[in-house]
Short mmCIF file of all heavy atoms in Angstrom, two decimals:
data_model
loop_
_atom_site.label_atom_id
_atom_site.label_comp_id
_atom_site.label_asym_id
_atom_site.label_seq_id
_atom_site.Cartn_x
_atom_site.Cartn_y
_atom_site.Cartn_z
N GLN A 1 -23.45 3.96 36.83
CA GLN A 1 -24.83 4.29 36.81
C GLN A 1 -25.64 2.98 36.50
O GLN A 1 -25.37 2.30 35.57
CB GLN A 1 -25.10 5.38 35.76
CG GLN A 1 -26.56 5.76 35.70
CD GLN A 1 -26.81 6.79 34.69
OE1 GLN A 1 -25.93 7.27 33.97
NE2 GLN A 1 -28.03 7.30 34.62
N ILE A 2 -26.69 2.80 37.29
CA ILE A 2 -27.60 1.68 37.03
C ILE A 2 -28.83 2.20 36.32
O ILE A 2 -29.40 3.17 36.64
CB ILE A 2 -28.06 1.05 38.43
CG1 ILE A 2 -26.75 0.73 39.24
CG2 ILE A 2 -28.97 -0.02 38.23
CD1 ILE A 2 -25.93 -0.33 38.68
N ILE A 3 -29.21 1.34 35.25
CA ILE A 3 -30.37 1.70 34.45
C ILE A 3 -31.34 0.56 34.60
O ILE A 3 -30.97 -0.56 34.44
CB ILE A 3 -30.04 1.92 33.00
CG1 ILE A 3 -28.94 3.04 32.90
CG2 ILE A 3 -31.23 2.21 32.24
CD1 ILE A 3 -28.29 3.16 31.58
N HIS A 4 -32.58 0.86 34.97
CA HIS A 4 -33.66 -0.20 35.08
C HIS A 4 -34.42 -0.20 33.75
O HIS A 4 -34.93 0.78 33.34
CB HIS A 4 -34.58 0.12 36.19
CG HIS A 4 -35.80 -0.74 36.12
ND1 HIS A 4 -35.78 -2.06 36.43
CD2 HIS A 4 -37.04 -0.37 35.73
CE1 HIS A 4 -37.04 -2.48 36.27
NE2 HIS A 4 -37.75 -1.56 35.90
N ILE A 5 -34.36 -1.33 33.06
CA ILE A 5 -35.10 -1.54 31.75
C ILE A 5 -36.28 -2.46 32.11
O ILE A 5 -36.04 -3.66 32.17
CB ILE A 5 -34.23 -2.03 30.68
CG1 ILE A 5 -32.99 -1.08 30.48
CG2 ILE A 5 -34.93 -2.18 29.43
CD1 ILE A 5 -31.91 -1.56 29.55
N PRO A 6 -37.44 -2.04 32.07
CA PRO A 6 -38.60 -3.01 32.15
C PRO A 6 -38.56 -4.00 30.98
O PRO A 6 -38.31 -3.57 29.88
CB PRO A 6 -39.82 -2.05 32.08
CG PRO A 6 -39.34 -0.70 32.42
CD PRO A 6 -37.95 -0.68 31.98
N ASP A 7 -38.76 -5.16 31.30
CA ASP A 7 -38.71 -6.24 30.20
C ASP A 7 -39.57 -7.37 30.58
O ASP A 7 -39.26 -8.09 31.54
CB ASP A 7 -37.28 -6.73 30.12
CG ASP A 7 -37.03 -7.76 29.04
OD1 ASP A 7 -37.99 -8.06 28.39
OD2 ASP A 7 -35.90 -8.20 28.93
N CYS A 8 -40.67 -7.55 29.89
CA CYS A 8 -41.50 -8.66 30.18
C CYS A 8 -41.40 -9.78 29.13
O CYS A 8 -42.34 -10.58 28.98
CB CYS A 8 -43.02 -8.13 30.28
SG CYS A 8 -43.25 -7.20 31.76
N ASN A 9 -40.30 -9.71 28.46
CA ASN A 9 -40.05 -10.71 27.44
C ASN A 9 -38.95 -11.70 27.94
O ASN A 9 -38.17 -11.32 28.85
CB ASN A 9 -39.61 -10.12 26.11
CG ASN A 9 -40.67 -9.23 25.52
OD1 ASN A 9 -41.83 -9.64 25.47
ND2 ASN A 9 -40.33 -8.05 25.16
N GLU A 10 -38.83 -12.89 27.33
CA GLU A 10 -37.71 -13.75 27.69
C GLU A 10 -36.40 -13.07 27.45
O GLU A 10 -36.26 -12.25 26.53
CB GLU A 10 -37.87 -15.08 26.93
CG GLU A 10 -39.10 -15.88 27.28
CD GLU A 10 -39.04 -16.32 28.79
OE1 GLU A 10 -37.88 -16.54 29.31
OE2 GLU A 10 -40.11 -16.44 29.35
N PRO A 11 -35.35 -13.35 28.16
CA PRO A 11 -35.23 -14.40 29.19
C PRO A 11 -35.67 -13.87 30.60
O PRO A 11 -35.60 -14.65 31.52
CB PRO A 11 -33.78 -14.80 29.16
CG PRO A 11 -33.05 -13.54 28.90
CD PRO A 11 -33.99 -12.82 27.88
N CYS A 12 -36.06 -12.60 30.63
CA CYS A 12 -36.31 -12.02 31.99
C CYS A 12 -37.80 -11.99 32.25
O CYS A 12 -38.29 -11.15 33.13
CB CYS A 12 -35.71 -10.64 32.14
SG CYS A 12 -33.93 -10.79 32.15
N GLY A 13 -38.61 -12.60 31.54
CA GLY A 13 -40.02 -12.56 31.73
C GLY A 13 -40.51 -13.26 33.02
O GLY A 13 -39.75 -13.96 33.73
N CYS A 14 -41.75 -13.14 33.34
CA CYS A 14 -42.27 -13.64 34.55
C CYS A 14 -42.36 -15.19 34.38
O CYS A 14 -42.62 -15.75 33.30
CB CYS A 14 -43.64 -13.07 34.88
SG CYS A 14 -43.54 -11.32 35.41
N PRO A 15 -42.24 -15.91 35.45
CA PRO A 15 -42.31 -17.39 35.39
C PRO A 15 -43.73 -17.86 35.01
O PRO A 15 -44.71 -17.16 35.25
CB PRO A 15 -42.01 -17.83 36.84
CG PRO A 15 -41.49 -16.67 37.53
CD PRO A 15 -41.90 -15.41 36.79
N ASP A 16 -43.81 -18.99 34.48
CA ASP A 16 -45.12 -19.56 33.91
C ASP A 16 -46.06 -19.87 35.14
O ASP A 16 -47.20 -19.99 34.90
CB ASP A 16 -44.84 -20.76 33.14
CG ASP A 16 -44.30 -20.50 31.79
OD1 ASP A 16 -44.40 -19.34 31.27
OD2 ASP A 16 -43.63 -21.38 31.24
N ASP A 17 -45.45 -20.02 36.28
CA ASP A 17 -46.33 -20.37 37.46
C ASP A 17 -47.00 -19.12 38.13
O ASP A 17 -47.52 -19.31 39.20
CB ASP A 17 -45.55 -21.16 38.54
CG ASP A 17 -44.31 -20.44 39.10
OD1 ASP A 17 -44.01 -19.34 38.67
OD2 ASP A 17 -43.85 -20.91 40.10
N THR A 18 -46.94 -17.94 37.54
CA THR A 18 -47.63 -16.87 38.02
C THR A 18 -49.12 -16.93 37.64
O THR A 18 -49.34 -16.99 36.48
CB THR A 18 -47.07 -15.49 37.51
OG1 THR A 18 -45.70 -15.42 37.90
CG2 THR A 18 -47.81 -14.32 38.00
N THR A 19 -49.99 -17.04 38.57
CA THR A 19 -51.42 -17.33 38.23
C THR A 19 -52.25 -16.22 38.73
O THR A 19 -52.00 -15.55 39.70
CB THR A 19 -51.85 -18.65 38.99
OG1 THR A 19 -51.67 -18.49 40.41
CG2 THR A 19 -51.08 -19.77 38.40
N PRO A 20 -53.24 -15.92 37.87
CA PRO A 20 -54.25 -14.89 38.25
C PRO A 20 -54.93 -15.18 39.57
O PRO A 20 -55.03 -16.39 39.91
CB PRO A 20 -55.25 -14.82 37.17
CG PRO A 20 -54.50 -15.55 35.97
CD PRO A 20 -53.56 -16.44 36.62
N PRO A 21 -55.39 -14.29 40.43
CA PRO A 21 -55.39 -12.89 40.12
C PRO A 21 -54.09 -12.16 40.47
O PRO A 21 -54.08 -10.92 40.48
CB PRO A 21 -56.47 -12.36 41.04
CG PRO A 21 -56.38 -13.22 42.26
CD PRO A 21 -55.93 -14.63 41.72
N THR A 22 -53.04 -12.86 40.69
CA THR A 22 -51.79 -12.18 40.96
C THR A 22 -50.99 -11.83 39.68
O THR A 22 -51.28 -12.38 38.61
CB THR A 22 -50.81 -13.00 41.88
OG1 THR A 22 -50.54 -14.27 41.21
CG2 THR A 22 -51.57 -13.31 43.29
N GLY A 23 -50.02 -10.96 39.82
CA GLY A 23 -49.23 -10.57 38.70
C GLY A 23 -47.77 -10.56 39.02
O GLY A 23 -47.37 -11.09 40.08
N CYS A 24 -46.93 -10.18 38.10
CA CYS A 24 -45.55 -10.23 38.22
C CYS A 24 -44.86 -9.00 37.65
O CYS A 24 -45.44 -8.38 36.74
CB CYS A 24 -45.03 -11.46 37.43
SG CYS A 24 -43.29 -11.71 37.42
N ILE A 25 -43.75 -8.57 38.20
CA ILE A 25 -42.97 -7.46 37.72
C ILE A 25 -41.56 -8.11 37.41
O ILE A 25 -40.99 -8.70 38.27
CB ILE A 25 -42.82 -6.35 38.73
CG1 ILE A 25 -44.22 -5.70 38.90
CG2 ILE A 25 -41.82 -5.28 38.21
CD1 ILE A 25 -44.20 -4.63 40.06
N SER A 26 -41.04 -7.86 36.26
CA SER A 26 -39.70 -8.39 35.91
C SER A 26 -39.00 -7.26 35.12
O SER A 26 -39.53 -6.30 34.61
CB SER A 26 -39.79 -9.64 35.09
OG SER A 26 -40.37 -9.34 33.80
N GLY A 27 -37.62 -7.49 35.12
CA GLY A 27 -36.75 -6.47 34.38
C GLY A 27 -35.36 -6.85 34.38
O GLY A 27 -35.00 -7.99 34.82
N THR A 28 -34.53 -5.98 33.82
CA THR A 28 -33.13 -6.27 33.76
C THR A 28 -32.34 -5.09 34.35
O THR A 28 -32.73 -3.91 34.06
CB THR A 28 -32.72 -6.41 32.30
OG1 THR A 28 -33.43 -7.43 31.78
CG2 THR A 28 -31.29 -6.84 32.15
N ILE A 29 -31.28 -5.28 35.11
CA ILE A 29 -30.43 -4.27 35.59
C ILE A 29 -29.16 -4.34 34.76
O ILE A 29 -28.52 -5.37 34.69
CB ILE A 29 -30.09 -4.43 37.11
CG1 ILE A 29 -31.40 -4.44 37.88
CG2 ILE A 29 -29.13 -3.34 37.57
CD1 ILE A 29 -32.12 -3.10 37.97
N VAL A 30 -28.83 -3.21 34.22
CA VAL A 30 -27.59 -3.07 33.36
C VAL A 30 -26.77 -1.80 33.84
O VAL A 30 -27.29 -0.98 34.47
CB VAL A 30 -27.93 -2.96 31.88
CG1 VAL A 30 -28.66 -4.24 31.38
CG2 VAL A 30 -28.72 -1.74 31.47
N ASN A 31 -25.53 -1.86 33.40
CA ASN A 31 -24.69 -0.67 33.77
C ASN A 31 -24.80 0.34 32.58
O ASN A 31 -25.56 0.15 31.66
CB ASN A 31 -23.21 -1.12 34.00
CG ASN A 31 -22.56 -1.62 32.70
OD1 ASN A 31 -22.96 -1.55 31.62
ND2 ASN A 31 -21.44 -2.39 32.98
N ALA A 32 -24.11 1.47 32.69
CA ALA A 32 -24.27 2.53 31.69
C ALA A 32 -23.86 2.14 30.31
O ALA A 32 -24.28 2.68 29.29
CB ALA A 32 -23.40 3.78 32.16
N SER A 33 -23.02 0.98 30.20
CA SER A 33 -22.58 0.53 28.91
C SER A 33 -23.62 -0.48 28.34
O SER A 33 -23.45 -1.02 27.21
CB SER A 33 -21.26 -0.18 29.02
OG SER A 33 -20.29 0.70 29.52
N GLY A 34 -24.70 -0.88 29.15
CA GLY A 34 -25.66 -1.76 28.65
C GLY A 34 -25.33 -3.18 29.03
O GLY A 34 -26.08 -4.16 28.61
N LYS A 35 -24.27 -3.47 29.85
CA LYS A 35 -23.95 -4.84 30.22
C LYS A 35 -24.68 -5.21 31.45
O LYS A 35 -24.85 -4.35 32.42
CB LYS A 35 -22.50 -4.97 30.47
CG LYS A 35 -21.72 -4.74 29.16
CD LYS A 35 -20.21 -5.00 29.30
CE LYS A 35 -19.59 -4.73 28.05
NZ LYS A 35 -18.30 -5.46 27.85
N PRO A 36 -25.23 -6.45 31.55
CA PRO A 36 -26.08 -6.89 32.71
C PRO A 36 -25.20 -6.92 33.96
O PRO A 36 -24.03 -7.20 33.84
CB PRO A 36 -26.54 -8.30 32.30
CG PRO A 36 -26.12 -8.51 30.88
CD PRO A 36 -25.19 -7.51 30.46
N ILE A 37 -25.84 -6.64 35.05
CA ILE A 37 -25.20 -6.67 36.35
C ILE A 37 -25.77 -7.87 37.10
O ILE A 37 -26.94 -7.90 37.47
CB ILE A 37 -25.46 -5.38 37.16
CG1 ILE A 37 -24.78 -4.23 36.36
CG2 ILE A 37 -24.75 -5.45 38.56
CD1 ILE A 37 -25.11 -2.80 37.07
N ALA A 38 -24.87 -8.89 37.41
CA ALA A 38 -25.35 -10.07 38.10
C ALA A 38 -25.18 -9.73 39.67
O ALA A 38 -24.26 -9.04 40.07
CB ALA A 38 -24.45 -11.27 37.73
N GLY A 39 -26.02 -10.44 40.47
CA GLY A 39 -25.88 -10.37 41.88
C GLY A 39 -26.36 -9.02 42.54
O GLY A 39 -26.10 -8.75 43.66
N LYS A 40 -27.07 -8.13 41.68
CA LYS A 40 -27.50 -6.85 42.20
C LYS A 40 -28.79 -7.08 43.09
O LYS A 40 -29.65 -7.76 42.64
CB LYS A 40 -27.75 -5.90 41.09
CG LYS A 40 -28.10 -4.54 41.41
CD LYS A 40 -26.91 -3.76 41.88
CE LYS A 40 -27.27 -2.35 42.16
NZ LYS A 40 -26.18 -1.59 42.80
N THR A 41 -28.83 -6.38 44.17
CA THR A 41 -30.05 -6.50 45.04
C THR A 41 -31.11 -5.52 44.48
O THR A 41 -30.76 -4.33 44.15
CB THR A 41 -29.76 -6.14 46.49
OG1 THR A 41 -28.81 -7.11 46.98
CG2 THR A 41 -31.01 -6.19 47.28
N VAL A 42 -32.27 -5.94 44.29
CA VAL A 42 -33.39 -5.19 43.87
C VAL A 42 -34.48 -5.22 44.82
O VAL A 42 -34.79 -6.25 45.40
CB VAL A 42 -33.90 -5.70 42.41
CG1 VAL A 42 -35.08 -4.92 41.91
CG2 VAL A 42 -32.79 -5.88 41.46
N ARG A 43 -35.11 -4.10 45.19
CA ARG A 43 -36.04 -3.97 46.30
C ARG A 43 -37.41 -3.56 45.59
O ARG A 43 -37.45 -2.61 44.75
CB ARG A 43 -35.61 -2.98 47.26
CG ARG A 43 -36.62 -2.88 48.42
CD ARG A 43 -36.06 -2.06 49.50
NE ARG A 43 -35.78 -0.69 49.13
CZ ARG A 43 -34.96 0.06 49.90
NH1 ARG A 43 -34.49 -0.22 50.99
NH2 ARG A 43 -34.79 1.32 49.42
N LEU A 44 -38.44 -4.21 46.01
CA LEU A 44 -39.84 -3.86 45.58
C LEU A 44 -40.58 -3.19 46.76
O LEU A 44 -40.69 -3.84 47.84
CB LEU A 44 -40.55 -5.13 45.13
CG LEU A 44 -42.00 -4.90 44.62
CD1 LEU A 44 -41.95 -4.29 43.32
CD2 LEU A 44 -42.71 -6.31 44.57
N ASN A 45 -41.02 -1.96 46.44
CA ASN A 45 -41.84 -1.33 47.47
C ASN A 45 -43.31 -1.20 46.93
O ASN A 45 -43.45 -0.94 45.69
CB ASN A 45 -41.35 0.13 47.69
CG ASN A 45 -39.97 0.25 48.30
OD1 ASN A 45 -39.53 -0.73 48.92
ND2 ASN A 45 -39.34 1.39 48.27
N ARG A 46 -44.19 -1.28 47.85
CA ARG A 46 -45.57 -0.91 47.50
C ARG A 46 -45.82 0.49 47.89
O ARG A 46 -45.55 0.89 49.06
CB ARG A 46 -46.54 -1.85 48.23
CG ARG A 46 -47.97 -1.50 47.91
CD ARG A 46 -48.86 -2.59 47.57
NE ARG A 46 -50.12 -2.06 47.18
CZ ARG A 46 -51.15 -2.71 47.05
NH1 ARG A 46 -51.13 -4.05 47.21
NH2 ARG A 46 -52.29 -2.23 46.61
N THR A 47 -46.24 1.34 46.93
CA THR A 47 -46.54 2.73 47.28
C THR A 47 -47.97 2.81 47.78
O THR A 47 -48.86 2.12 47.30
CB THR A 47 -46.33 3.61 46.06
OG1 THR A 47 -47.10 3.17 45.01
CG2 THR A 47 -44.87 3.53 45.62
N SER A 48 -48.11 3.61 48.78
CA SER A 48 -49.43 3.84 49.39
C SER A 48 -49.54 5.29 49.79
O SER A 48 -48.60 5.97 49.82
CB SER A 48 -49.64 2.87 50.56
OG SER A 48 -48.87 3.22 51.60
N PRO A 49 -50.78 5.80 50.08
CA PRO A 49 -50.96 7.11 50.51
C PRO A 49 -50.21 7.47 51.78
O PRO A 49 -49.73 8.60 51.94
CB PRO A 49 -52.50 7.30 50.73
CG PRO A 49 -53.02 6.19 49.90
CD PRO A 49 -52.08 5.08 49.90
N SER A 50 -49.99 6.49 52.61
CA SER A 50 -49.34 6.77 53.91
C SER A 50 -47.79 6.66 53.82
O SER A 50 -47.08 7.66 53.77
CB SER A 50 -49.86 5.83 54.98
OG SER A 50 -49.72 4.49 54.53
N THR A 51 -47.26 5.47 53.69
CA THR A 51 -45.82 5.34 53.58
C THR A 51 -45.51 4.09 52.81
O THR A 51 -46.17 3.11 52.80
CB THR A 51 -45.27 5.14 55.12
OG1 THR A 51 -43.87 5.02 54.98
CG2 THR A 51 -45.90 3.96 55.77
N PRO A 52 -44.44 4.18 52.02
CA PRO A 52 -43.99 3.05 51.24
C PRO A 52 -43.56 1.86 52.12
O PRO A 52 -43.09 2.04 53.21
CB PRO A 52 -42.80 3.58 50.37
CG PRO A 52 -42.78 4.99 50.46
CD PRO A 52 -43.60 5.37 51.78
N LYS A 53 -43.82 0.65 51.65
CA LYS A 53 -43.43 -0.55 52.46
C LYS A 53 -42.64 -1.46 51.60
O LYS A 53 -42.98 -1.77 50.44
CB LYS A 53 -44.82 -1.17 52.87
CG LYS A 53 -44.52 -2.48 53.65
CD LYS A 53 -45.84 -3.15 54.02
CE LYS A 53 -45.49 -4.42 54.78
NZ LYS A 53 -46.73 -5.18 55.07
N VAL A 54 -41.53 -1.86 52.07
CA VAL A 54 -40.64 -2.85 51.38
C VAL A 54 -41.38 -4.21 51.39
O VAL A 54 -41.61 -4.74 52.51
CB VAL A 54 -39.22 -2.98 51.93
CG1 VAL A 54 -38.47 -4.07 51.29
CG2 VAL A 54 -38.55 -1.65 51.85
N LEU A 55 -41.70 -4.77 50.28
CA LEU A 55 -42.43 -6.03 50.20
C LEU A 55 -41.52 -7.20 49.99
O LEU A 55 -41.61 -8.21 50.69
CB LEU A 55 -43.43 -6.02 49.04
CG LEU A 55 -44.70 -5.06 49.21
CD1 LEU A 55 -45.51 -5.20 48.02
CD2 LEU A 55 -45.35 -5.41 50.52
N LYS A 56 -40.54 -7.00 49.05
CA LYS A 56 -39.71 -8.20 48.72
C LYS A 56 -38.37 -7.66 48.20
O LYS A 56 -38.25 -6.46 47.69
CB LYS A 56 -40.25 -8.93 47.46
CG LYS A 56 -41.66 -9.61 47.81
CD LYS A 56 -42.17 -10.40 46.73
CE LYS A 56 -43.51 -11.01 46.98
NZ LYS A 56 -43.94 -11.97 46.04
N THR A 57 -37.33 -8.43 48.27
CA THR A 57 -36.04 -8.19 47.67
C THR A 57 -35.67 -9.41 46.82
O THR A 57 -36.17 -10.46 47.04
CB THR A 57 -34.99 -7.89 48.72
OG1 THR A 57 -34.82 -9.07 49.52
CG2 THR A 57 -35.25 -6.68 49.57
N ALA A 58 -34.88 -9.15 45.82
CA ALA A 58 -34.40 -10.20 44.92
C ALA A 58 -32.99 -9.80 44.49
O ALA A 58 -32.51 -8.73 44.63
CB ALA A 58 -35.34 -10.28 43.72
N LYS A 59 -32.25 -10.80 44.01
CA LYS A 59 -30.99 -10.63 43.45
C LYS A 59 -31.06 -10.89 41.95
O LYS A 59 -31.77 -11.90 41.46
CB LYS A 59 -29.95 -11.58 44.04
CG LYS A 59 -29.58 -11.30 45.51
CD LYS A 59 -28.28 -10.67 45.55
CE LYS A 59 -27.98 -10.61 47.02
NZ LYS A 59 -27.06 -9.49 47.31
N THR A 60 -30.33 -10.19 41.14
CA THR A 60 -30.29 -10.40 39.69
C THR A 60 -29.51 -11.64 39.38
O THR A 60 -28.55 -12.04 40.09
CB THR A 60 -29.73 -9.22 38.88
OG1 THR A 60 -28.38 -9.02 39.37
CG2 THR A 60 -30.66 -7.95 39.06
N ASP A 61 -29.96 -12.34 38.32
CA ASP A 61 -29.26 -13.56 37.96
C ASP A 61 -27.99 -13.19 37.11
O ASP A 61 -27.69 -12.04 36.93
CB ASP A 61 -30.17 -14.58 37.21
CG ASP A 61 -30.69 -14.09 35.91
OD1 ASP A 61 -30.22 -13.02 35.41
OD2 ASP A 61 -31.68 -14.69 35.43
N ASP A 62 -27.34 -14.18 36.45
CA ASP A 62 -26.22 -13.86 35.60
C ASP A 62 -26.48 -13.04 34.43
O ASP A 62 -25.56 -12.47 33.87
CB ASP A 62 -25.58 -15.16 35.08
CG ASP A 62 -25.01 -16.08 36.17
OD1 ASP A 62 -24.69 -15.51 37.30
OD2 ASP A 62 -24.77 -17.23 36.00
N ASN A 63 -27.75 -12.95 33.98
CA ASN A 63 -28.17 -12.08 32.82
C ASN A 63 -28.67 -10.73 33.37
O ASN A 63 -29.17 -9.92 32.57
CB ASN A 63 -29.18 -12.74 32.00
CG ASN A 63 -28.78 -14.03 31.38
OD1 ASN A 63 -27.62 -14.06 30.84
ND2 ASN A 63 -29.46 -15.12 31.52
N GLY A 64 -28.64 -10.38 34.62
CA GLY A 64 -29.06 -9.14 35.16
C GLY A 64 -30.64 -9.13 35.39
O GLY A 64 -31.18 -8.13 35.65
N CYS A 65 -31.22 -10.34 35.20
CA CYS A 65 -32.69 -10.40 35.29
C CYS A 65 -33.19 -10.50 36.73
O CYS A 65 -32.47 -11.22 37.53
CB CYS A 65 -33.24 -11.57 34.56
SG CYS A 65 -32.84 -11.48 32.74
N TYR A 66 -34.40 -9.99 37.01
CA TYR A 66 -34.97 -10.21 38.34
C TYR A 66 -36.46 -10.30 38.07
O TYR A 66 -36.96 -9.94 36.96
CB TYR A 66 -34.73 -9.03 39.31
CG TYR A 66 -35.35 -7.78 38.75
CD1 TYR A 66 -36.74 -7.45 39.13
CD2 TYR A 66 -34.69 -6.87 38.01
CE1 TYR A 66 -37.27 -6.25 38.63
CE2 TYR A 66 -35.27 -5.75 37.53
CZ TYR A 66 -36.55 -5.47 37.88
OH TYR A 66 -37.21 -4.28 37.41
N HIS A 67 -37.24 -10.90 39.00
CA HIS A 67 -38.66 -10.95 38.93
C HIS A 67 -39.19 -11.02 40.31
O HIS A 67 -38.57 -11.60 41.21
CB HIS A 67 -39.18 -11.92 38.01
CG HIS A 67 -39.00 -13.33 38.46
ND1 HIS A 67 -37.90 -14.07 38.05
CD2 HIS A 67 -39.76 -14.09 39.32
CE1 HIS A 67 -37.89 -15.30 38.59
NE2 HIS A 67 -38.99 -15.29 39.34
N PHE A 68 -40.45 -10.38 40.46
CA PHE A 68 -41.19 -10.55 41.70
C PHE A 68 -42.56 -11.09 41.19
O PHE A 68 -43.24 -10.49 40.38
CB PHE A 68 -41.40 -9.11 42.31
CG PHE A 68 -40.13 -8.50 42.76
CD1 PHE A 68 -39.54 -7.45 41.97
CD2 PHE A 68 -39.55 -8.82 43.97
CE1 PHE A 68 -38.39 -6.92 42.37
CE2 PHE A 68 -38.34 -8.25 44.34
CZ PHE A 68 -37.73 -7.27 43.56
N LYS A 69 -43.00 -12.21 41.82
CA LYS A 69 -44.24 -12.79 41.38
C LYS A 69 -45.20 -12.83 42.53
O LYS A 69 -44.96 -12.41 43.68
CB LYS A 69 -44.03 -14.20 40.83
CG LYS A 69 -43.45 -15.15 41.81
CD LYS A 69 -43.25 -16.48 41.08
CE LYS A 69 -42.78 -17.56 42.07
NZ LYS A 69 -42.71 -18.91 41.55
N ASN A 70 -46.44 -13.19 42.24
CA ASN A 70 -47.55 -13.35 43.16
C ASN A 70 -47.84 -11.91 43.77
O ASN A 70 -48.01 -11.79 45.00
CB ASN A 70 -47.26 -14.35 44.22
CG ASN A 70 -47.10 -15.74 43.64
OD1 ASN A 70 -47.77 -16.08 42.68
ND2 ASN A 70 -46.17 -16.53 44.18
N LEU A 71 -47.99 -10.94 42.96
CA LEU A 71 -48.25 -9.57 43.42
C LEU A 71 -49.75 -9.22 43.20
O LEU A 71 -50.33 -9.59 42.14
CB LEU A 71 -47.46 -8.52 42.63
CG LEU A 71 -45.90 -8.72 42.66
CD1 LEU A 71 -45.23 -7.74 41.80
CD2 LEU A 71 -45.45 -8.57 44.16
N MET A 72 -50.31 -8.61 44.17
CA MET A 72 -51.68 -8.17 44.05
C MET A 72 -51.77 -6.89 43.26
O MET A 72 -50.74 -6.21 43.07
CB MET A 72 -52.32 -8.07 45.45
CG MET A 72 -52.34 -9.35 46.28
SD MET A 72 -53.12 -10.75 45.37
CE MET A 72 -54.81 -10.28 45.36
N ASN A 73 -52.91 -6.54 42.78
CA ASN A 73 -53.13 -5.30 42.04
C ASN A 73 -52.74 -4.16 42.89
O ASN A 73 -52.99 -4.10 44.09
CB ASN A 73 -54.58 -5.20 41.63
CG ASN A 73 -54.87 -3.97 40.67
OD1 ASN A 73 -53.95 -3.67 40.03
ND2 ASN A 73 -56.05 -3.49 40.80
N GLY A 74 -51.95 -3.26 42.35
CA GLY A 74 -51.45 -2.04 43.06
C GLY A 74 -50.43 -1.29 42.34
O GLY A 74 -50.03 -1.65 41.24
N THR A 75 -49.79 -0.28 43.03
CA THR A 75 -48.73 0.43 42.48
C THR A 75 -47.43 0.09 43.16
O THR A 75 -47.44 0.12 44.41
CB THR A 75 -49.07 1.97 42.56
OG1 THR A 75 -50.30 2.25 41.90
CG2 THR A 75 -47.93 2.79 41.98
N TYR A 76 -46.44 -0.17 42.42
CA TYR A 76 -45.16 -0.61 43.01
C TYR A 76 -44.02 0.26 42.47
O TYR A 76 -44.11 0.80 41.40
CB TYR A 76 -44.90 -2.11 42.64
CG TYR A 76 -45.93 -3.04 43.18
CD1 TYR A 76 -47.04 -3.31 42.47
CD2 TYR A 76 -45.82 -3.59 44.42
CE1 TYR A 76 -48.04 -4.21 43.01
CE2 TYR A 76 -46.69 -4.47 45.03
CZ TYR A 76 -47.76 -4.83 44.28
OH TYR A 76 -48.82 -5.64 44.77
N LYS A 77 -42.97 0.19 43.29
CA LYS A 77 -41.74 0.96 42.83
C LYS A 77 -40.52 -0.09 43.00
O LYS A 77 -40.46 -0.74 43.99
CB LYS A 77 -41.47 2.17 43.77
CG LYS A 77 -40.31 2.96 43.42
CD LYS A 77 -40.24 4.17 44.28
CE LYS A 77 -39.15 5.17 43.79
NZ LYS A 77 -39.17 6.37 44.58
N VAL A 78 -39.71 -0.14 41.93
CA VAL A 78 -38.63 -1.12 41.88
C VAL A 78 -37.41 -0.26 41.94
O VAL A 78 -37.23 0.73 41.28
CB VAL A 78 -38.64 -1.90 40.58
CG1 VAL A 78 -37.38 -2.83 40.64
CG2 VAL A 78 -39.85 -2.74 40.52
N ARG A 79 -36.42 -0.69 42.84
CA ARG A 79 -35.22 0.07 43.00
C ARG A 79 -33.99 -0.87 43.08
O ARG A 79 -33.98 -1.82 43.89
CB ARG A 79 -35.29 0.93 44.29
CG ARG A 79 -34.10 1.73 44.56
CD ARG A 79 -34.31 2.65 45.74
NE ARG A 79 -33.09 3.40 45.88
CZ ARG A 79 -32.68 3.83 47.07
NH1 ARG A 79 -33.31 3.47 48.21
NH2 ARG A 79 -31.62 4.54 47.24
N GLY A 80 -32.95 -0.61 42.32
CA GLY A 80 -31.72 -1.35 42.44
C GLY A 80 -30.85 -0.71 43.60
O GLY A 80 -30.78 0.52 43.68
N LEU A 81 -30.36 -1.53 44.41
CA LEU A 81 -29.52 -1.01 45.55
C LEU A 81 -28.05 -1.16 45.26
O LEU A 81 -27.62 -1.94 44.61
CB LEU A 81 -29.82 -1.79 46.80
CG LEU A 81 -31.31 -1.69 47.30
CD1 LEU A 81 -31.53 -2.57 48.46
CD2 LEU A 81 -31.73 -0.30 47.53
#
């Protein structure tokens, strides 16, 4: 089982080069035992009234961390694949 834990603190925080007016979403992917999962694909969808759109994909690093930067204001959904 994959658990998504939102985490905006180091070491999985957003990079320092994220500049307003854009934002960043970051987090950690861990297994049911709480151990980080490296190399996991994470997909970012923008939710909209019509249909969700896949915006970006990322892979988790050795600590299970991922981040998506340069995001405009809106509602997003993050999913581990």
